[in-house]
Amino acid sequence: MILIAGGAGYIGAHTNKILTQKGYKTVVFDNLSLGHKEFVKWGHLVTGDLADIQQIRSCFSKYSIEAVMHFSAFANVSESVMDPAEYYVNNVSNTINLLNIMKEYGVKYIIFSSTCATYGDPEEIPMTENHPQNPVNPYGRSKLMIEQILKDYDQAYGIKHINLRYFNAAGADPDKEIGENHFPESHLIPLIIQAALAQRKEIKIFGTDYQTKDGTCIRDYVHVNDLASAHILALEYIKKKSNMSTSFNLGNNKGYSVKEVITAVERISGVKVNSVNAPGRNGDPVELIGSYQKAKEQLGWFPEFNLDQIIKTAWDWHVSNIDSWKNKKH
Ligand code: UDP
């Protein structure tokens, strides 16, 4: 049985679906604070909190867990700057609770949702796994701390880990069963789609005078199902091939500016989106692009969805869920 901590959230839910399709048995452990019960359509659900050691322990004693995939985290950069305490407690201490129960039950494998935010400002593009890790905000630092803790737990207790450093997760399940739904929403693609669907007035472009082709920030968008597939490859790799801890970047090796993403949404939706120029966000790196060479060589992973396909799946999901999500607290 695979334990999916945070499996009711965006990336965890997509991974749960693909794990199940591949024949894995899963149990989702989620406190449903940001996740959605409706997203847990596969496997078992344990509603529990990683802050509560006893709840984690009772989940491990009920199910026979062979590996953990750990998605539970707060992941909003601006929020982390305003309230770092929340980030260090929720992301770092709660992960320590999870690891300690893994240790207690002899569970030897963890696939950890890390981030390109652990690198900080890029010194080279595309970024490889060897790029120096100097995060520039508490969110990135909380994830780097966990990577460091994982290294120590490997050395001392033999718990093997793979850090998957995501670039910008986007898109939705092509079958439209699950998708991206944060509240409040802060991510570029869903915000543009909401503007196209008249659910918000406009999209603000954060910064228009950066040193890029059109003055706006560049990001590497990677489809959520590509991230999900990488988790499964990583699990197979760590169990069967390597028994060794390591890290992989998950990106497309390709960057798009904010304006290019807006144009792509307009093209795919056929709707003109209102955009307004706004000041750049504090601490926003100008350009983030990830090399996936190592994941390709060692996991056999490569991204299957390009930007248009990412946006198309996101658009289709939003359109099909307009009514069902409108009146919910989510
Ligand atoms: N962005 C923007 N307007 C928004 C939200 C985001 O211009 O309303 C920009 C943001 O500055 C960044 C890119 O879009 O350059 C992606 O932002 P997002 O928050 O989706 O992900 P991040 O890169 O911050 O993890």
Side-chain angles (χ1 to χ4, degrees):
M1 184 84 73
I2 309 299
L3 181 89
I4 311 178
Y10 172 45
I11 305 169
H14 286 78
T15 306
N16 185 21
K17 177 172 180 178
I18 294 188
L19 274 167
T20 310
Q21 284 174 336
K22 300 245 178 212
Y24 286 95
K25 299 271 176 270
T26 62
V27 53
V28 167
F29 185 92
D30 201 301
N31 66 5
L32 301 177
S33 68
L34 299 175
H36 312 290
K37 206 171 177 185
E38 298 89 325
F39 279 7
V40 189
K41 298 179 197 245
W42 306 273
H44 302 267
L45 170 64
V46 172
T47 307
D49 202 310
L50 291 180
D52 187 331
I53 294 258
Q54 201 41 51
Q55 289 180 359
I56 313 174
R57 189 178 281 123
S58 79
C59 178
F60 276 68
S61 66
K62 180 162 177 200
Y63 298 97
S64 166
I65 309 290
E66 62 157 324
V68 172
M69 293 191 180
H70 178 28
F71 298 89
S72 300
F74 291 153
N76 181 314
V77 170
S78 325
E79 210 175 71
S80 80
V81 174
M82 288 182 303
D83 199 353
E86 285 281 329
Y87 275 68
Y88 291 124
V89 171
N90 188 60
N91 294 3
V92 184
S93 341
N94 290 355
T95 298
I96 296 173
N97 291 343
L98 174 63
L99 288 170
N100 287 347
I101 299 295
M102 286 178 66
K103 175 158 93 64
E104 199 174 301
Y105 281 79
V107 178
K108 289 289 178 209
Y109 304 110
I110 179 164
I111 312 296
F112 171 58
S113 300
S114 190
T115 165
C116 62
T118 59
Y119 293 125
D121 290 323
E123 290 176 13
E124 54 174 25
I125 295 284
M127 300 162 99
T128 68
E129 292 78 359
N130 296 325
H131 190 285
Q133 289 181 288
N134 297 309
V136 292
N137 52 60
Y139 165 63
R141 278 191 281 276
S142 74
K143 290 283 183 170
L144 180 58
M145 285 174 193
I146 300 169
E147 288 198 7
Q148 289 163 338
I149 291 166
L150 286 170
K151 206 186 269 180
D152 290 337
Y153 272 60
D154 177 5
Q155 212 180 355
Y157 313 125
I159 296 178
K160 303 291 166 194
H161 64 270
I162 291 189
N163 302 314
L164 295 177
R165 297 183 187 141
Y166 310 157
F167 282 69
N168 285 56
D173 171 28
D175 305 330
K176 296 179 267 189
E177 291 189 280
I178 42 181
E180 185 169 14
N181 206 314
H182 301 112
F183 185 79
E185 189 51 75
S186 68
H187 295 293
L188 182 66
I189 293 177
L191 287 173
I192 304 171
I193 290 176
Q194 289 175 358
L197 291 171
Q199 292 174 324
R200 61 180 66 238
K201 203 164 96 234
E202 63 202 12
I203 178 78
K204 288 195 174 75
I205 303 179
F206 293 147
T208 49
D209 54 3
Y210 290 107
Q211 294 296 312
T212 59
K213 49 190 161 187
D214 60 16
T216 65
C217 282
I218 292 177
R219 292 288 181 275
D220 182 344
Y221 296 90
V222 53
H223 195 276
V224 63
N225 273 9
D226 282 329
L227 296 180
S229 311
H231 281 77
I232 292 148
L233 291 171
L235 178 66
E236 288 164 359
Y237 179 84
I238 203 171
K239 272 174 42 189
K240 296 194 193 119
K241 289 198 196 142
S242 72
N243 202 35
M244 223 182 66
S245 298
T246 189
S247 306
F248 295 104
N249 281 347
L250 301 178
N252 260 310
N253 210 0
K254 222 170 161 1
Y256 292 93
S257 72
V258 173
K259 283 188 178 164
E260 284 174 328
V261 177
I262 295 174
T263 307
V265 173
E266 290 180 331
R267 192 175 57 245
I268 287 155
S269 65
V271 181
K272 178 92 186 83
V273 175
N274 267 339
S275 61
V276 293
N277 295 347
R281 281 191 309 201
N282 250 348
D284 234 356
V286 177
E287 182 170 18
L288 291 173
I289 300 176
S291 160
Y292 66 87
Q293 194 61 28
K294 183 177 171 192
K296 187 174 162 201
E297 284 167 10
Q298 298 189 23
L299 298 179
W301 179 83
F302 56 90
E304 292 187 5
F305 292 79
N306 62 27
L307 183 70
D308 279 13
Q309 293 165 316
I310 290 171
I311 292 174
K312 174 84 171 77
T313 55
W315 171 258
D316 287 346
W317 188 79
H318 273 86
V319 168
S320 70
N321 283 278
I322 285 181
D323 294 329
S324 57
W325 288 93
K326 213 183 311 188
N327 301 317
K328 284 189 187 169
K329 182 202 162 292
H330 48 261

mmCIF file with all atom_site columns, all heavy atoms in Angstrom, residues 127-144:
data_model
loop_
_atom_site.group_PDB
_atom_site.id
_atom_site.type_symbol
_atom_site.label_atom_id
_atom_site.label_alt_id
_atom_site.label_comp_id
_atom_site.label_asym_id
_atom_site.label_entity_id
_atom_site.label_seq_id
_atom_site.pdbx_PDB_ins_code
_atom_site.Cartn_x
_atom_site.Cartn_y
_atom_site.Cartn_z
_atom_site.occupancy
_atom_site.B_iso_or_equiv
_atom_site.pdbx_formal_charge
_atom_site.auth_seq_id
_atom_site.auth_comp_id
_atom_site.auth_asym_id
_atom_site.auth_atom_id
_atom_site.pdbx_PDB_model_num
ATOM 1   N N   . MET A 1 127 ? 18.221 25.096 -15.379 1.00 0.00 ? 127 MET A N   1
ATOM 2   C CA  . MET A 1 127 ? 18.816 24.719 -14.099 1.00 0.00 ? 127 MET A CA  1
ATOM 3   C C   . MET A 1 127 ? 18.911 23.195 -14.003 1.00 0.00 ? 127 MET A C   1
ATOM 4   O O   . MET A 1 127 ? 17.970 22.488 -14.347 1.00 0.00 ? 127 MET A O   1
ATOM 5   C CB  . MET A 1 127 ? 17.947 25.250 -12.959 1.00 0.00 ? 127 MET A CB  1
ATOM 6   C CG  . MET A 1 127 ? 17.826 26.761 -13.026 1.00 0.00 ? 127 MET A CG  1
ATOM 7   S SD  . MET A 1 127 ? 16.456 27.386 -12.062 1.00 0.00 ? 127 MET A SD  1
ATOM 8   C CE  . MET A 1 127 ? 17.326 27.879 -10.592 1.00 0.00 ? 127 MET A CE  1
ATOM 9   N N   . THR A 1 128 ? 20.050 22.726 -13.526 1.00 0.00 ? 128 THR A N   1
ATOM 10  C CA  . THR A 1 128 ? 20.192 21.283 -13.298 1.00 0.00 ? 128 THR A CA  1
ATOM 11  C C   . THR A 1 128 ? 20.115 21.029 -11.795 1.00 0.00 ? 128 THR A C   1
ATOM 12  O O   . THR A 1 128 ? 20.089 21.969 -10.996 1.00 0.00 ? 128 THR A O   1
ATOM 13  C CB  . THR A 1 128 ? 21.551 20.762 -13.810 1.00 0.00 ? 128 THR A CB  1
ATOM 14  O OG1 . THR A 1 128 ? 22.562 21.320 -12.982 1.00 0.00 ? 128 THR A OG1 1
ATOM 15  C CG2 . THR A 1 128 ? 21.788 21.131 -15.273 1.00 0.00 ? 128 THR A CG2 1
ATOM 16  N N   . GLU A 1 129 ? 20.158 19.767 -11.424 1.00 0.00 ? 129 GLU A N   1
ATOM 17  C CA  . GLU A 1 129 ? 20.081 19.403 -10.004 1.00 0.00 ? 129 GLU A CA  1
ATOM 18  C C   . GLU A 1 129 ? 21.324 19.857 -9.247  1.00 0.00 ? 129 GLU A C   1
ATOM 19  O O   . GLU A 1 129 ? 21.309 19.913 -8.009  1.00 0.00 ? 129 GLU A O   1
ATOM 20  C CB  . GLU A 1 129 ? 19.908 17.885 -9.832  1.00 0.00 ? 129 GLU A CB  1
ATOM 21  C CG  . GLU A 1 129 ? 18.560 17.338 -10.308 1.00 0.00 ? 129 GLU A CG  1
ATOM 22  C CD  . GLU A 1 129 ? 18.456 17.173 -11.814 1.00 0.00 ? 129 GLU A CD  1
ATOM 23  O OE1 . GLU A 1 129 ? 19.418 17.501 -12.547 1.00 0.00 ? 129 GLU A OE1 1
ATOM 24  O OE2 . GLU A 1 129 ? 17.394 16.708 -12.275 1.00 0.00 ? 129 GLU A OE2 1
ATOM 25  N N   . ASN A 1 130 ? 22.396 20.165 -9.981  1.00 0.00 ? 130 ASN A N   1
ATOM 26  C CA  . ASN A 1 130 ? 23.620 20.618 -9.303  1.00 0.00 ? 130 ASN A CA  1
ATOM 27  C C   . ASN A 1 130 ? 23.637 22.118 -9.040  1.00 0.00 ? 130 ASN A C   1
ATOM 28  O O   . ASN A 1 130 ? 24.608 22.640 -8.499  1.00 0.00 ? 130 ASN A O   1
ATOM 29  C CB  . ASN A 1 130 ? 24.851 20.263 -10.149 1.00 0.00 ? 130 ASN A CB  1
ATOM 30  C CG  . ASN A 1 130 ? 24.992 18.766 -10.273 1.00 0.00 ? 130 ASN A CG  1
ATOM 31  O OD1 . ASN A 1 130 ? 24.680 18.042 -9.329  1.00 0.00 ? 130 ASN A OD1 1
ATOM 32  N ND2 . ASN A 1 130 ? 25.428 18.302 -11.437 1.00 0.00 ? 130 ASN A ND2 1
ATOM 33  N N   . HIS A 1 131 ? 22.603 22.802 -9.480  1.00 0.00 ? 131 HIS A N   1
ATOM 34  C CA  . HIS A 1 131 ? 22.537 24.249 -9.254  1.00 0.00 ? 131 HIS A CA  1
ATOM 35  C C   . HIS A 1 131 ? 22.602 24.505 -7.738  1.00 0.00 ? 131 HIS A C   1
ATOM 36  O O   . HIS A 1 131 ? 21.974 23.784 -6.960  1.00 0.00 ? 131 HIS A O   1
ATOM 37  C CB  . HIS A 1 131 ? 21.217 24.777 -9.825  1.00 0.00 ? 131 HIS A CB  1
ATOM 38  C CG  . HIS A 1 131 ? 21.147 26.262 -9.856  1.00 0.00 ? 131 HIS A CG  1
ATOM 39  N ND1 . HIS A 1 131 ? 20.940 27.023 -8.721  1.00 0.00 ? 131 HIS A ND1 1
ATOM 40  C CD2 . HIS A 1 131 ? 21.268 27.132 -10.874 1.00 0.00 ? 131 HIS A CD2 1
ATOM 41  C CE1 . HIS A 1 131 ? 20.941 28.300 -9.055  1.00 0.00 ? 131 HIS A CE1 1
ATOM 42  N NE2 . HIS A 1 131 ? 21.133 28.396 -10.354 1.00 0.00 ? 131 HIS A NE2 1
ATOM 43  N N   . PRO A 1 132 ? 23.353 25.539 -7.302  1.00 0.00 ? 132 PRO A N   1
ATOM 44  C CA  . PRO A 1 132 ? 23.386 25.839 -5.856  1.00 0.00 ? 132 PRO A CA  1
ATOM 45  C C   . PRO A 1 132 ? 21.981 26.070 -5.309  1.00 0.00 ? 132 PRO A C   1
ATOM 46  O O   . PRO A 1 132 ? 21.133 26.623 -6.004  1.00 0.00 ? 132 PRO A O   1
ATOM 47  C CB  . PRO A 1 132 ? 24.194 27.138 -5.781  1.00 0.00 ? 132 PRO A CB  1
ATOM 48  C CG  . PRO A 1 132 ? 24.887 27.273 -7.089  1.00 0.00 ? 132 PRO A CG  1
ATOM 49  C CD  . PRO A 1 132 ? 24.154 26.451 -8.102  1.00 0.00 ? 132 PRO A CD  1
ATOM 50  N N   . GLN A 1 133 ? 21.754 25.619 -4.088  1.00 0.00 ? 133 GLN A N   1
ATOM 51  C CA  . GLN A 1 133 ? 20.436 25.804 -3.468  1.00 0.00 ? 133 GLN A CA  1
ATOM 52  C C   . GLN A 1 133 ? 20.494 26.938 -2.444  1.00 0.00 ? 133 GLN A C   1
ATOM 53  O O   . GLN A 1 133 ? 20.974 26.747 -1.322  1.00 0.00 ? 133 GLN A O   1
ATOM 54  C CB  . GLN A 1 133 ? 19.972 24.501 -2.808  1.00 0.00 ? 133 GLN A CB  1
ATOM 55  C CG  . GLN A 1 133 ? 19.597 23.436 -3.852  1.00 0.00 ? 133 GLN A CG  1
ATOM 56  C CD  . GLN A 1 133 ? 19.125 22.151 -3.213  1.00 0.00 ? 133 GLN A CD  1
ATOM 57  O OE1 . GLN A 1 133 ? 19.926 21.424 -2.645  1.00 0.00 ? 133 GLN A OE1 1
ATOM 58  N NE2 . GLN A 1 133 ? 17.840 21.867 -3.293  1.00 0.00 ? 133 GLN A NE2 1
ATOM 59  N N   . ASN A 1 134 ? 20.048 28.109 -2.895  1.00 0.00 ? 134 ASN A N   1
ATOM 60  C CA  . ASN A 1 134 ? 19.991 29.291 -2.021  1.00 0.00 ? 134 ASN A CA  1
ATOM 61  C C   . ASN A 1 134 ? 18.601 29.909 -2.095  1.00 0.00 ? 134 ASN A C   1
ATOM 62  O O   . ASN A 1 134 ? 18.412 30.944 -2.727  1.00 0.00 ? 134 ASN A O   1
ATOM 63  C CB  . ASN A 1 134 ? 21.033 30.340 -2.477  1.00 0.00 ? 134 ASN A CB  1
ATOM 64  C CG  . ASN A 1 134 ? 22.440 29.814 -2.359  1.00 0.00 ? 134 ASN A CG  1
ATOM 65  O OD1 . ASN A 1 134 ? 22.831 29.312 -1.315  1.00 0.00 ? 134 ASN A OD1 1
ATOM 66  N ND2 . ASN A 1 134 ? 23.203 29.908 -3.445  1.00 0.00 ? 134 ASN A ND2 1
ATOM 67  N N   . PRO A 1 135 ? 17.623 29.272 -1.459  1.00 0.00 ? 135 PRO A N   1
ATOM 68  C CA  . PRO A 1 135 ? 16.241 29.760 -1.587  1.00 0.00 ? 135 PRO A CA  1
ATOM 69  C C   . PRO A 1 135 ? 16.101 31.196 -1.093  1.00 0.00 ? 135 PRO A C   1
ATOM 70  O O   . PRO A 1 135 ? 16.807 31.605 -0.178  1.00 0.00 ? 135 PRO A O   1
ATOM 71  C CB  . PRO A 1 135 ? 15.433 28.790 -0.724  1.00 0.00 ? 135 PRO A CB  1
ATOM 72  C CG  . PRO A 1 135 ? 16.410 28.051 0.114   1.00 0.00 ? 135 PRO A CG  1
ATOM 73  C CD  . PRO A 1 135 ? 17.730 28.093 -0.588  1.00 0.00 ? 135 PRO A CD  1
ATOM 74  N N   . VAL A 1 136 ? 15.165 31.927 -1.713  1.00 0.00 ? 136 VAL A N   1
ATOM 75  C CA  . VAL A 1 136 ? 15.030 33.351 -1.392  1.00 0.00 ? 136 VAL A CA  1
ATOM 76  C C   . VAL A 1 136 ? 13.742 33.662 -0.637  1.00 0.00 ? 136 VAL A C   1
ATOM 77  O O   . VAL A 1 136 ? 13.388 34.813 -0.460  1.00 0.00 ? 136 VAL A O   1
ATOM 78  C CB  . VAL A 1 136 ? 15.116 34.211 -2.691  1.00 0.00 ? 136 VAL A CB  1
ATOM 79  C CG1 . VAL A 1 136 ? 16.508 34.160 -3.284  1.00 0.00 ? 136 VAL A CG1 1
ATOM 80  C CG2 . VAL A 1 136 ? 14.079 33.767 -3.721  1.00 0.00 ? 136 VAL A CG2 1
ATOM 81  N N   . ASN A 1 137 ? 13.019 32.637 -0.209  1.00 0.00 ? 137 ASN A N   1
ATOM 82  C CA  . ASN A 1 137 ? 11.814 32.886 0.595   1.00 0.00 ? 137 ASN A CA  1
ATOM 83  C C   . ASN A 1 137 ? 11.589 31.708 1.550   1.00 0.00 ? 137 ASN A C   1
ATOM 84  O O   . ASN A 1 137 ? 12.140 30.627 1.355   1.00 0.00 ? 137 ASN A O   1
ATOM 85  C CB  . ASN A 1 137 ? 10.600 33.125 -0.315  1.00 0.00 ? 137 ASN A CB  1
ATOM 86  C CG  . ASN A 1 137 ? 10.449 32.008 -1.331  1.00 0.00 ? 137 ASN A CG  1
ATOM 87  O OD1 . ASN A 1 137 ? 10.288 30.847 -0.966  1.00 0.00 ? 137 ASN A OD1 1
ATOM 88  N ND2 . ASN A 1 137 ? 10.542 32.356 -2.601  1.00 0.00 ? 137 ASN A ND2 1
ATOM 89  N N   . PRO A 1 138 ? 10.775 31.937 2.600   1.00 0.00 ? 138 PRO A N   1
ATOM 90  C CA  . PRO A 1 138 ? 10.560 30.874 3.596   1.00 0.00 ? 138 PRO A CA  1
ATOM 91  C C   . PRO A 1 138 ? 9.986  29.589 2.996   1.00 0.00 ? 138 PRO A C   1
ATOM 92  O O   . PRO A 1 138 ? 10.317 28.497 3.447   1.00 0.00 ? 138 PRO A O   1
ATOM 93  C CB  . PRO A 1 138 ? 9.579  31.509 4.588   1.00 0.00 ? 138 PRO A CB  1
ATOM 94  C CG  . PRO A 1 138 ? 9.838  32.970 4.472   1.00 0.00 ? 138 PRO A CG  1
ATOM 95  C CD  . PRO A 1 138 ? 10.177 33.217 3.029   1.00 0.00 ? 138 PRO A CD  1
ATOM 96  N N   . TYR A 1 139 ? 9.145  29.699 1.977   1.00 0.00 ? 139 TYR A N   1
ATOM 97  C CA  . TYR A 1 139 ? 8.608  28.480 1.352   1.00 0.00 ? 139 TYR A CA  1
ATOM 98  C C   . TYR A 1 139 ? 9.750  27.615 0.809   1.00 0.00 ? 139 TYR A C   1
ATOM 99  O O   . TYR A 1 139 ? 9.866  26.430 1.143   1.00 0.00 ? 139 TYR A O   1
ATOM 100 C CB  . TYR A 1 139 ? 7.625  28.844 0.223   1.00 0.00 ? 139 TYR A CB  1
ATOM 101 C CG  . TYR A 1 139 ? 7.320  27.667 -0.680  1.00 0.00 ? 139 TYR A CG  1
ATOM 102 C CD1 . TYR A 1 139 ? 6.691  26.535 -0.161  1.00 0.00 ? 139 TYR A CD1 1
ATOM 103 C CD2 . TYR A 1 139 ? 7.684  27.671 -2.022  1.00 0.00 ? 139 TYR A CD2 1
ATOM 104 C CE1 . TYR A 1 139 ? 6.438  25.434 -0.976  1.00 0.00 ? 139 TYR A CE1 1
ATOM 105 C CE2 . TYR A 1 139 ? 7.423  26.579 -2.842  1.00 0.00 ? 139 TYR A CE2 1
ATOM 106 C CZ  . TYR A 1 139 ? 6.808  25.464 -2.304  1.00 0.00 ? 139 TYR A CZ  1
ATOM 107 O OH  . TYR A 1 139 ? 6.563  24.373 -3.104  1.00 0.00 ? 139 TYR A OH  1
ATOM 108 N N   . GLY A 1 140 ? 10.627 28.238 0.006   1.00 0.00 ? 140 GLY A N   1
ATOM 109 C CA  . GLY A 1 140 ? 11.759 27.498 -0.566  1.00 0.00 ? 140 GLY A CA  1
ATOM 110 C C   . GLY A 1 140 ? 12.672 26.960 0.529   1.00 0.00 ? 140 GLY A C   1
ATOM 111 O O   . GLY A 1 140 ? 13.158 25.830 0.466   1.00 0.00 ? 140 GLY A O   1
ATOM 112 N N   . ARG A 1 141 ? 12.872 27.769 1.569   1.00 0.00 ? 141 ARG A N   1
ATOM 113 C CA  . ARG A 1 141 ? 13.738 27.323 2.671   1.00 0.00 ? 141 ARG A CA  1
ATOM 114 C C   . ARG A 1 141 ? 13.109 26.147 3.410   1.00 0.00 ? 141 ARG A C   1
ATOM 115 O O   . ARG A 1 141 ? 13.800 25.207 3.789   1.00 0.00 ? 141 ARG A O   1
ATOM 116 C CB  . ARG A 1 141 ? 14.013 28.483 3.641   1.00 0.00 ? 141 ARG A CB  1
ATOM 117 C CG  . ARG A 1 141 ? 15.138 29.392 3.157   1.00 0.00 ? 141 ARG A CG  1
ATOM 118 C CD  . ARG A 1 141 ? 15.575 30.377 4.240   1.00 0.00 ? 141 ARG A CD  1
ATOM 119 N NE  . ARG A 1 141 ? 14.659 31.499 4.350   1.00 0.00 ? 141 ARG A NE  1
ATOM 120 C CZ  . ARG A 1 141 ? 14.701 32.587 3.593   1.00 0.00 ? 141 ARG A CZ  1
ATOM 121 N NH1 . ARG A 1 141 ? 15.629 32.715 2.650   1.00 0.00 ? 141 ARG A NH1 1
ATOM 122 N NH2 . ARG A 1 141 ? 13.836 33.567 3.758   1.00 0.00 ? 141 ARG A NH2 1
ATOM 123 N N   . SER A 1 142 ? 11.787 26.169 3.577   1.00 0.00 ? 142 SER A N   1
ATOM 124 C CA  . SER A 1 142 ? 11.146 25.053 4.303   1.00 0.00 ? 142 SER A CA  1
ATOM 125 C C   . SER A 1 142 ? 11.349 23.754 3.520   1.00 0.00 ? 142 SER A C   1
ATOM 126 O O   . SER A 1 142 ? 11.610 22.701 4.104   1.00 0.00 ? 142 SER A O   1
ATOM 127 C CB  . SER A 1 142 ? 9.652  25.334 4.550   1.00 0.00 ? 142 SER A CB  1
ATOM 128 O OG  . SER A 1 142 ? 8.891  25.203 3.363   1.00 0.00 ? 142 SER A OG  1
ATOM 129 N N   . LYS A 1 143 ? 11.270 23.826 2.203   1.00 0.00 ? 143 LYS A N   1
ATOM 130 C CA  . LYS A 1 143 ? 11.450 22.610 1.385   1.00 0.00 ? 143 LYS A CA  1
ATOM 131 C C   . LYS A 1 143 ? 12.916 22.166 1.391   1.00 0.00 ? 143 LYS A C   1
ATOM 132 O O   . LYS A 1 143 ? 13.204 20.961 1.408   1.00 0.00 ? 143 LYS A O   1
ATOM 133 C CB  . LYS A 1 143 ? 10.972 22.878 -0.049  1.00 0.00 ? 143 LYS A CB  1
ATOM 134 C CG  . LYS A 1 143 ? 9.458  23.038 -0.167  1.00 0.00 ? 143 LYS A CG  1
ATOM 135 C CD  . LYS A 1 143 ? 8.752  21.685 -0.097  1.00 0.00 ? 143 LYS A CD  1
ATOM 136 C CE  . LYS A 1 143 ? 7.261  21.793 -0.272  1.00 0.00 ? 143 LYS A CE  1
ATOM 137 N NZ  . LYS A 1 143 ? 6.586  20.504 -0.437  1.00 0.00 ? 143 LYS A NZ  1
ATOM 138 N N   . LEU A 1 144 ? 13.834 23.115 1.385   1.00 0.00 ? 144 LEU A N   1
ATOM 139 C CA  . LEU A 1 144 ? 15.259 22.749 1.438   1.00 0.00 ? 144 LEU A CA  1
ATOM 140 C C   . LEU A 1 144 ? 15.597 22.109 2.789   1.00 0.00 ? 144 LEU A C   1
ATOM 141 O O   . LEU A 1 144 ? 16.349 21.135 2.858   1.00 0.00 ? 144 LEU A O   1
ATOM 142 C CB  . LEU A 1 144 ? 16.143 23.981 1.181   1.00 0.00 ? 144 LEU A CB  1
ATOM 143 C CG  . LEU A 1 144 ? 17.649 23.707 1.206   1.00 0.00 ? 144 LEU A CG  1
ATOM 144 C CD1 . LEU A 1 144 ? 18.059 22.639 0.182   1.00 0.00 ? 144 LEU A CD1 1
ATOM 145 C CD2 . LEU A 1 144 ? 18.447 24.990 0.968   1.00 0.00 ? 144 LEU A CD2 1
#
